[in-house]
Amino acid sequence: MEKHLYKTIAVLFLVIVLSGCVFNDKSDEKIGDCPYIVVEASELPEDIIKLIDSKKETPFQMAYHEPEASYIILGYGRQETSGYHIEVHDVYQGEDSLWVDTDLIGPVKNEPVEDLPTYPYVVIKVKKIDQLVRFKS
């Protein structure tokens, strides 16, 4: 009987702790804006172009830092046709990290597409950061 009581208490404790973590997680809550620009491929540093090319086959997320700026790079991997692009909804300061909110947008219905693989990615430039970058999509 006593063993059953301990198990019940342990289960209740875990439920309380885990539900508290889930319901009180406000880490993605926006506490401030972060100015950013989306960088065109023609304006990218050569090192970033090489990084993207080496990772483009599969989805990836990374940050690249220079002395004056940071680049947040997000790729959605190989897509079988043309017509894809990435929409950046927001880049903002969360409680303990910088958040990047994006979506991969597919070809519009009845839009002509080419049957060739594409590798959609976006590069976002922000002022130099030294914190965790997290992604929403």
Side-chain angles (χ1 to χ4, degrees):
M1 183 68 163
E2 192 174 310
K3 206 175 208 181
H4 180 69
L5 179 62
Y6 286 128
K7 285 182 181 178
T8 303
I9 291 171
V11 168
L12 286 173
F13 177 75
L14 284 174
V15 168
I16 291 169
V17 168
L18 292 177
S19 67
C21 290
V22 171
F23 294 117
N24 291 326
D25 182 11
K26 296 182 181 181
S27 63
D28 69 341
E29 188 174 300
K30 185 175 184 174
I31 61 172
D33 290 323
C34 178
Y36 68 93
I37 60 168
V38 175
V39 183
E40 297 296 324
S42 61
E43 299 173 12
L44 292 175
E46 187 65 32
D47 289 346
I48 292 178
I49 293 170
K50 288 178 184 175
L51 278 171
I52 292 168
D53 196 46
S54 72
K55 296 182 178 294
K56 69 182 181 182
E57 287 289 333
T58 58
F60 65 89
Q61 303 165 340
M62 67 178 129
Y64 178 87
H65 304 283
E66 289 190 336
E68 299 298 318
S70 293
Y71 295 85
I72 301 163
I73 309 162
L74 175 66
Y76 279 86
R78 180 186 174 115
Q79 306 301 315
E80 295 305 319
T81 66
S82 65
Y84 288 88
H85 69 278
I86 300 169
E87 188 172 305
V88 179
H89 299 293
D90 202 4
V91 178
Y92 64 91
Q93 183 62 53
E95 187 174 315
D96 60 356
S97 53
L98 188 68
W99 283 87
V100 178
D101 185 4
T102 64
D103 277 316
L104 176 65
I105 308 298
V108 178
K109 189 174 183 174
N110 297 327
E111 174 186 351
V113 296
E114 294 184 41
D115 285 330
L116 59 101
T118 56
Y119 307 90
Y121 68 89
V122 66
V123 179
I124 301 165
K125 184 177 180 179
V126 297
K127 67 178 172 106
K128 176 77 171 167
I129 57 171
D130 61 354
Q131 61 186 357
L132 180 66
V133 177
R134 298 177 78 180
F135 298 88
K136 295 171 83 171
S137 53

